[in-house]
Amino acid sequence: MIQITDCHLFADIQRCSYRDINPYITLRQVLVHVKALEPDRVIVTGDLSGDLSGLSYQHFASLWQQAEIPAALHILPGNHDQPSLLTQFFSHEMKWLQAPLRDNNWCLHALDSHYQGTLGHVSTAQLERLEQQVRAMPDASHLVAVHHHPIPCNSWMDKHQWCNRDAFVALLEALPQIRLVIHGHVHAELTFFQGQTQILACPSTCWQWRHTQEFAVDDQAPGLRLLELHSGGSFNTQIIRVSHQCNV
C-alpha cells in the first residue's frame, strides 16, 4: 500500500509555487515511482487541489490515468479541497469514508476533517461510527487515515490544527486495536505515538515544510510512504523521496 498526500495541483499546469516547484510535474514523477512499486492500493490523504479549481481535479484524474497504475485508489478530503468538486470527480474513490476497507486482517478507515479554512474538525457522527466499527471487529487491526494531524507538531503548523483532536485521541486511548494512523497536512515525515498507536505523517508530493516556530520551507524532495500491513497487526513502512525536474 502507498500513501501520497498534499498534491496542491493548480488549474495552470505551468504554475510553480514554493522553491519554484511545479506540483503537476512532481506529482507526475511521484506516480512513476508508485507504479514501479506495484502497490495493491493507493491512499491520497487530501489536498489534491491547491486552488479549488475543477481543472486541478481533472489534472489529478488525467495524471492517474496516464500513470496506468493497476491499484485501487482511495481519496479523502483535505482543507484545500473543494468537497463538492472532489465528490464530482472521485465519488467512487471516496466511498471508503462511509464503509471501511478490509485488507488481510486489517480494517482501513477514512475520516473527513475538512472544516473552516485551514482548520480541521471531524464530526461526532464520524467518531461514533469509527468507534462502533472498531468495537464490532475487535480481533482485527485497524488503520485510520485522515488529513489533519491529531498530535501537535510543536511548530507553526499547529496554527492549522484539528480543532477537536482530543476526542479522537481519547478514542485511540480507548481502542488499542487502532494500530496505525496516517495523515497529511504537515508536508513532512513525522512519527508520533499515542498509547499503542503509531501516528505517521507523510511528505507532500510537492513542497515540504520545515517544522520550526516560524513558517519555513524545507529543501527535501517530494515523497511517498510505502506501507506493508501484516496479518498479525505488525507493519513495515518507509519514506521514498523522488528527485524532481522542471519541465512539463
Side-chain angles (χ1 to χ4, degrees):
M1 186 175 82
I2 285 175
Q3 177 195 6
I4 62 173
T5 196
D6 295 272
C7 309
H8 290 276
L9 295 173
F10 301 125
D12 180 1
I13 64 172
Q14 303 283 348
R15 180 179 169 186
C16 298
S17 188
Y18 301 100
R19 293 195 182 275
D20 289 326
I21 288 173
N22 180 315
Y24 181 89
I25 294 173
T26 55
L27 177 58
R28 184 174 64 191
Q29 293 164 343
V30 166
L31 291 178
V32 169
H33 283 71
V34 169
K35 182 178 182 180
L37 291 166
E38 300 182 336
D40 295 321
R41 63 180 81 246
V42 176
I43 290 175
V44 189
T45 47
D47 282 3
L48 283 70
S49 180
D51 62 3
L52 304 176
S53 68
L55 278 174
S56 64
Y57 296 112
Q58 288 184 38
H59 296 328
F60 185 96
S62 296
L63 287 172
W64 178 261
Q65 184 176 25
Q66 292 166 23
E68 298 183 331
I69 299 168
L73 177 63
H74 309 288
I75 293 172
L76 57 83
N79 55 281
H80 282 283
D81 285 312
Q82 168 44 258
S84 61
L85 285 174
L86 193 62
T87 302
Q88 176 183 329
F89 283 93
F90 302 108
S91 59
H92 177 75
E93 291 79 7
M94 294 175 68
K95 285 183 178 178
W96 71 314
L97 284 156
Q98 304 303 321
L101 309 169
R102 296 303 301 267
D103 191 330
N104 218 338
N105 195 43
W106 283 79
C107 190
L108 314 181
H109 308 263
L111 295 176
D112 178 357
S113 62
H114 184 275
Y115 186 44
Q116 297 175 357
T118 60
L119 299 176
H121 183 278
V122 175
S123 68
T124 300
Q126 288 187 81
L127 294 176
E128 289 177 347
R129 184 169 64 239
L130 173 63
E131 180 176 10
Q132 291 166 2
Q133 291 166 341
V134 173
R135 292 193 185 281
M137 293 176 281
D139 296 327
S141 300
H142 296 262
L143 175 153
V144 177
V146 64
H147 180 68
H148 286 80
H149 56 302
I151 300 294
C153 298
N154 299 315
S155 76
W156 63 272
M157 272 300 295
D158 290 333
K159 299 174 185 176
H160 311 290
Q161 65 180 312
W162 176 347
C163 296
N164 66 331
R165 64 188 176 207
D166 288 348
F168 177 69
V169 169
L171 275 186
L172 299 183
E173 294 287 353
L175 300 170
Q177 300 94 332
I178 301 177
R179 305 298 302 275
L180 181 59
V181 176
I182 60 174
H183 66 87
H185 193 50
V186 300
H187 291 228
E189 176 189 2
L190 300 175
T191 301
F192 299 97
F193 288 89
Q194 184 68 42
Q196 299 182 44
T197 305
Q198 191 164 353
I199 300 170
L200 301 174
C202 184
S204 165
T205 62
C206 52
W207 42 83
Q208 313 304 310
W209 300 144
R210 189 172 295 166
H211 284 270
T212 50
Q213 290 306 302
E214 301 298 327
F215 172 80
V217 181
D218 206 329
D219 59 3
Q220 292 207 71
L224 59 89
R225 180 176 291 281
L226 178 64
L227 273 165
E228 277 186 79
L229 306 177
H230 305 299
S231 58
S234 62
F235 58 88
N236 298 326
T237 186
Q238 69 179 110
I239 294 295
I240 298 173
R241 299 279 180 175
V242 178
S243 60
H244 59 284
Q245 298 161 10
C246 298
N247 54 316
V248 174

